[in-house]
Amino acid sequence: MPGIALDPATTMLGLVDVQPTFMPGGALAVAGGDAVVPVINRLLAGPFAHAFATQDWHPPGHSSFASSHPGRAAFDSVEMPYGMQTLWPDHAVQGSAEAALHPAIDQRRIELVVRKGFRPAIDSYSAFLENDRTTTTGLDGWLRARGISQLFLAGLATDYCVAFSAEDAARLGYRVFVIEDACRGIGLPLPEGGDTMAAARARLAAAGVGFVTSADFPD
C-alpha cells in the first residue's frame, strides 16, 4: 500500500461497535452491517497483528434512548446538558446478546475491549471521548503506552461512532485511516441538505483522515 507502513509495533486495527445490535435484525440496525464481519476477519488474519474493539454498553433506561423521553421518538433530537443528542431505539443493553461483540469475529488479535456509553446520563460515540467531550474512555493512554501512532478503523456506523472516533484520533495526533468496505453507515438526512454520511466524510477529510479499502492491503 503506497505511502502507508504497516509496522506492527506502531499500527493497530480498531473495531468500532461490531455488535449484533447494529446489524440486520438488531435494535438499531445499519443496512448491510453484517457485511463488515468477513472483511474484518480477513484483515485480522492478514496485515494486522494487533487490534482493539469498542463495545456500546448501555444500562436500561439510558438517557439516549427515545423511550426515556415521553413524547419523543427515535431519531428525534433533544438538548442534553452537554449539547444536542440524537435519540435512539433501546439498543446495546448491558448483558444482552445484542450487546456482545459479534460472535463470528475472530477475537484472537483483539487485545483490548473498551466499553462506552455505560454512564446513564451521557451517550458515547467516540472510542476516545464520550459525548460531553470531556469524559475519556482511557483508550488514548493505552495506545500511547503501547507505542501506537497509526490507526485503521472499521465497524459501525461510519457516520457516527467510526467518524467520531477517527476525528478524535486525528485531533489527538494519530495518523488515521477509515477502511471503507469494513464499515457501513446510517445516512440520516440533514435539515440543511445531504445526509450524515456525506457530512462525516467531509469532516474527516478536513481533519486529515485517510480513506482506504481492504483491497489496498497486501494478502
Side-chain angles (χ1 to χ4, degrees), residues 15-195:
L15 309 183
V16 179
D17 297 358
V18 186
Q19 299 165 261
T21 199
F22 298 117
M23 298 184 181
L28 186 48
V30 177
D34 51 347
V36 307
V37 173
V39 181
I40 288 170
N41 279 341
R42 289 198 300 273
L43 294 168
L44 288 169
F48 291 97
H50 308 284
F52 69 87
T54 67
Q55 190 176 8
D56 227 21
W57 193 250
H58 295 311
H62 192 268
S63 62
S64 71
F65 293 169
S67 62
S68 299
H69 301 265
R72 297 285 190 167
F75 308 110
D76 285 351
S77 293
V78 299
E79 184 75 31
M80 296 288 200
Y82 52 81
M84 293 304 295
Q85 170 69 50
T86 301
L87 298 180
W88 307 106
D90 292 23
H91 67 282
V93 175
Q94 294 173 356
S96 67
E98 281 200 354
L101 294 182
H102 194 283
I105 289 289
D106 182 353
Q107 297 190 32
R108 288 175 293 177
R109 291 186 174 179
I110 296 176
E111 297 163 1
L112 177 74
V113 177
V114 177
R115 286 177 167 170
K116 58 188 182 65
F118 58 83
R119 294 175 174 86
I122 312 173
D123 201 10
S124 184
Y125 298 156
S126 171
F128 295 92
L129 287 172
E130 298 203 345
N131 285 9
D132 63 357
R133 310 305 297 153
T134 59
T135 303
T136 71
T137 65
L139 177 60
D140 180 42
W142 184 81
L143 291 170
R144 292 187 190 282
R146 291 288 304 273
I148 301 300
S149 58
Q150 181 168 256
L151 297 175
F152 290 81
L153 299 181
L156 306 168
T158 314
D159 40 346
Y160 282 91
C161 295
V162 174
F164 275 76
S165 299
E167 191 171 26
D168 280 347
R171 183 182 54 79
L172 289 165
Y174 296 92
R175 191 180 189 196
V176 190
F177 299 86
V178 171
I179 307 173
E180 293 190 273
D181 61 326
C183 302
R184 292 295 185 279
I186 299 174
L188 294 179
L190 295 172
E192 63 271 24
D195 63 20

